[in-house]
């Protein structure tokens, strides 16, 4: 399944390709049937869980994303 660029553009309101705290590059999770944006959000949250476990984004991600 290929990502639909129109859907990505419509939902990608925030750049999640790098960490706002440390500047690390963040890759989306591998293709699994979800949109690229959903995979990017998962990769972003995974990065924070590993690199910044005390960041408030992990308590309420909907307020950040």
């Amino acid at each position: 399944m290929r990502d639909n660029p129109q859907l990505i553009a419509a939902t990608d309101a925030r750049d999640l390709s790098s960490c706002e705290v440390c500047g690390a590059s963040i890759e989306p999770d591998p293709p699994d049937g979800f949109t690229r944006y959903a995979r990017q959000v998962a990769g972003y949250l995974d990065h924070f869980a590993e690199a910044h476990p005390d960041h408030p984004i992990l308590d309420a991600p909907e307020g950040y994303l």
Side-chain angles (χ1 to χ4, degrees):
M1 178 176 156
R2 295 185 57 118
D3 291 331
N4 182 335
Q6 291 176 329
L7 292 177
I8 293 169
T11 59
D12 195 6
R14 184 174 178 161
D15 178 21
L16 302 177
S17 64
S18 63
C19 176
E20 64 186 37
V21 175
C22 68
S25 177
I26 300 173
E27 295 297 320
D29 283 357
D32 58 2
F34 289 97
T35 65
R36 178 175 170 78
Y37 183 73
R39 296 190 324 267
Q40 188 72 51
V41 168
Y44 196 75
L45 293 175
D46 287 348
H47 168 77
F48 273 84
E50 293 173 11
H52 314 290
D54 296 329
H55 195 280
I57 194 173
L58 298 172
D59 294 329
E62 62 278 356
Y64 289 86
L65 306 172

